[in-house]
Amino acid sequence: MRSRFNINNYSNLGQRAITAVVGAAIVISSIIYSDWTYFLVFAFILGFSQMEFYKLCGLDGMLPLKSFGTFLGLMIFTLTFMIEKEQLPNEYLYLIFPIISLTFFIKLYKKTDKKPFTGVAFTYLGIFYVAVPFSLLNLAVFSVDKVYHFEIILGCLLILWASDTGAYFAGTKFGKTKLFERVSPKKSWEGFLGGAFSAIAVAFLLARYFQSIQDWKWLVISGIIIIAGTYGDLIESLFKRSIEIKDSGHGLPGHGGFMDRFDGLLLSAPFITAFLKIF
């Protein structure tokens, strides 16, 4: 009798590797195939990441508007995508402000909510912390002549994944000097340097094969991801430590939740987009 495949039968490293391979294959193929498949997959990731954030806020006694906040995040992501794709005029961005303001009206009628403005604040925090960085990726990926360049978002992800992977193995093998022990006891300077080396190596390869942006920009992007991505990881660790949990969720075996996997991107995306737009 054949035994069914069960990822839980594997070690944490095995689960991590299987999830990474399958997840990377889905994300990479969607990015390369078309701008619409990129949009669908990243909308999926955004939605689950934002719901995870609101769920964690709930564990700490906060009452954000989970469904409405996630809807707002997906709306902002969709509007920025459609505008950058030139399917909608820029004026449609003004729709964001009145619709976001509806949060106050909804909270006004929540009779059981003893601290409504705390809920409003955490609803908005979920939008700015999760939805806005993902939405800014739309500006980055269309930053060259308003044409979809999959190389930009794919390159950023490859650098981020190289940084994470290099940091994980270097930290596991050589990690002794604590990077930020108060927030994340397991992270080390050795791991940071291993991740930095891997990210820069991938950036050099991207500069050779991806010609959508100049070579030097890939090196700058790798620097942004090394620094901002590390801080993004630390900030999420601080958030999880404040509510005394290990992972943001269980959606990605071996990796925790979606926020655990994309926390480095959340803080890197604003800097990458600003850099590409200004230069």
Side-chain angles (χ1 to χ4, degrees):
M1 185 176 179
R2 293 182 179 179
S3 60
R4 294 182 178 181
F5 173 78
N6 187 347
I7 196 169
N8 293 322
N9 293 332
Y10 292 83
S11 66
N12 182 266
L13 182 60
Q15 292 181 27
R16 190 180 184 91
I18 293 170
T19 302
V21 170
V22 174
I26 294 172
V27 172
I28 291 173
S29 59
S30 70
I31 290 171
I32 294 175
Y33 188 74
S34 76
D35 50 359
W36 284 108
T37 52
Y38 148 78
F39 167 77
L40 291 173
V41 167
F42 273 79
F44 177 87
I45 295 171
L46 186 161
F48 273 89
S49 298
Q50 202 166 343
M51 288 296 287
E52 281 181 359
F53 175 82
Y54 289 140
K55 181 180 178 181
L56 296 181
C57 291
L59 294 177
D60 203 29
M62 309 304 171
L63 295 174
L65 297 173
K66 297 178 184 178
S67 299
F68 187 67
T70 304
F71 164 75
L72 290 174
L74 289 170
M75 181 196 71
I76 294 171
F77 182 76
T78 302
L79 282 176
T80 53
F81 176 80
M82 296 297 287
I83 289 169
E84 290 300 307
K85 192 174 166 60
E86 297 187 330
Q87 298 293 308
L88 290 175
N90 292 339
E91 289 75 11
Y92 274 77
L93 273 178
Y94 291 108
L95 286 173
I96 293 171
F97 303 107
I99 295 177
I100 282 182
S101 298
L102 292 176
T103 307
F104 293 101
F105 292 89
I106 295 171
K107 278 294 183 181
L108 183 65
Y109 288 95
K110 290 275 188 179
K111 297 180 181 179
T112 58
D113 196 341
K114 296 180 180 180
K115 295 182 178 180
F117 272 79
T118 303
V120 170
F122 277 89
T123 300
Y124 287 162
L125 180 59
I127 294 169
F128 283 102
Y129 180 47
V130 181
V132 169
F134 274 105
S135 300
L136 288 173
L137 290 177
N138 292 327
L139 278 66
V141 82
F142 284 97
S143 62
V144 182
D145 301 325
K146 286 289 185 178
V147 175
Y148 174 72
H149 287 276
F150 76 84
E151 302 98 326
I152 294 175
I153 181 63
L154 178 58
C156 290
L157 287 177
L158 291 175
I159 293 172
L160 178 65
W161 292 341
S163 177
D164 287 347
T165 303
Y168 177 80
F169 285 106
T172 301
K173 183 74 173 176
F174 306 107
K176 292 181 180 179
T177 311
K178 301 300 181 183
L179 177 66
F180 211 118
E181 189 172 8
R182 178 174 62 85
V183 174
S184 186
K186 291 184 178 180
K187 287 183 174 56
S188 65
W189 278 105
E190 291 82 2
F192 172 79
L193 293 175
F197 176 82
S198 300
I200 293 171
V202 170
F204 271 106
L205 288 174
L206 294 174
R208 182 175 180 180
Y209 295 104
F210 286 177
Q211 303 300 317
S212 53
I213 59 177
Q214 293 98 318
D215 294 355
W216 66 273
K217 289 184 178 180
W218 284 118
L219 298 178
V220 174
I221 288 173
S222 69
I224 291 173
I225 290 174
I226 290 166
I227 298 171
T230 300
Y231 274 107
D233 196 356
L234 289 170
I235 288 168
E236 202 216 351
S237 295
L238 179 65
F239 176 50
K240 291 186 294 185
R241 180 170 285 270
S242 69
I243 52 181
E244 299 179 346
I245 62 166
K246 182 178 182 292
D247 296 321
S248 66
H250 305 285
L252 299 172
H255 295 266
F258 284 87
M259 283 183 62
D260 292 315
R261 183 67 279 178
F262 293 96
D263 52 5
L265 191 63
L266 296 180
L267 207 63
S268 300
F271 290 95
I272 293 170
T273 303
F275 166 68
L276 290 176
K277 283 293 187 179
I278 293 172
F279 296 98

